[in-house]
Amino acid sequence: MKDTYTISFLDAQQMPQVHEAFLKAFADYYVPIQLTKEQFNTKLKRESIAPGFCTGAYKGPELAGFILTGLGEFNGIPTAYNAGTGVLPAHRGNQLTRKMYAHLLPKLREAGITQCLLEVIQENTTALKAYKAIGLEVTRALDCFRATKDELLLGGEDPEDITIQPAAKPDWEVYRHFGDTTPTWQNTVAAIRLSPDEKIILEARDQSQEVVGYIVFFPNTGAIAQLAVMPAHRNKGVGKALLREASRLTNAKALLMVNVDAEALDLKSFLKRRHFNRFLGQYEMLMPL
């Protein structure tokens, strides 16, 4: 019989078992994802994953599938974020994603959550179809970029009237006016603050010491969470100066910027001019509860 699965909520003590299932479920993914225990625990913290709202599909003692659920606010709305749906290869085709969501949604509503959010790889038509059947709809397209430090085009002098320096006290209220689009869940201010990984925030200041641009990145992984320049100061070398210093301070061999809004045309153009390559496209999906 196909329908011999038990769907239940998880707890913090089961997260090591979920990590093992995560490795098996994503080993043959479109982009294979293999996180160490430390990286997995970092993901749990950065993405506000609440173990009691994570669901598991069991066949006997085996965890056959899971949904990692992060709780928080997105655009000011109480949100449940799907930080990863995984089904082990031997258990696919049993509609476990639909069954786990059916188990999860009543608890989310009871907790006052008013929307569900996730990202899915654009080519993953099976998952896309499953999420649409549940009721999620595509809200925007996202692009992911990567460049090795050797590939980056960062030559030339920095603008004479601009200095790049660490942010003594990040002013997120000022920063939020610089970008043209909203960051995705894992790149929000809340996620940056929660991440246990070392992070660096650099500011570009003009001669009057006004902040005209900034970058937030994780030097050990090379991941850039946010990068933006005030519109009036774009195409003047500010972004390149920020990126050059970030590259110098990064321990990783490459820099990457994931889930850039496809409508962020200025930022995408800048990344391409610096020789970043688009390696993946995703859709952000949303469902009101």
Side-chain angles (χ1 to χ4, degrees), residues 7 9 12 15 25 38 69 73 76 105-106 130 135 156 164 173 181 184 191 210 222-223 241 246-247 252-253 255:
I7 311 297
F9 291 109
M15 288 302 107
E38 182 181 11
T69 306
E73 287 195 353
L105 294 181
I164 307 297
E173 181 58 29
T181 56
T184 51
E210 180 185 6
S247 177
K253 294 181 179 180
L255 296 178

Side-chain angles (χ1 to χ4, degrees), residues 33-49:
I33 304 172
Q34 295 294 287
L35 302 180
T36 65
K37 181 180 178 181
E38 182 181 11
Q39 290 169 334
F40 185 75
N41 289 334
T42 293
K43 175 182 175 68
L44 297 184
K45 292 175 182 175
R46 179 173 175 176
E47 298 179 15
S48 299
I49 292 169

Side-chain angles (χ1 to χ4, degrees), residues 6-19 22 40 43-45 47-58 63 65-71 80-86 96-97 99-105 107-108 111 113:
T6 301
I7 311 297
S8 60
F9 291 109
L10 305 176
D11 58 40
Q13 286 67 41
Q14 291 169 289
M15 288 302 107
Q17 184 184 15
V18 176
H19 177 227
F22 185 98
F40 185 75
K43 175 182 175 68
L44 297 184
K45 292 175 182 175
E47 298 179 15
S48 299
I49 292 169
F53 284 81
C54 297
T55 55
Y58 283 89
L63 181 59
F66 59 85
I67 295 176
L68 293 173
T69 306
L71 298 181
Y81 173 68
N82 183 337
T85 298
L96 294 185
T97 298
K99 292 171 185 175
M100 287 189 288
Y101 260 104
H103 190 75
L104 173 62
L105 294 181
K107 185 173 182 177
L108 293 177
I113 301 299

Side-chain angles (χ1 to χ4, degrees), residues 151-158 237 240-241 244 273-274:
E151 292 171 330
L152 286 170
L153 281 182
L154 299 173
E157 298 294 323
D158 288 348
K240 185 167 67 172
R244 182 188 291 117
R273 293 198 306 273
R274 303 279 70 81

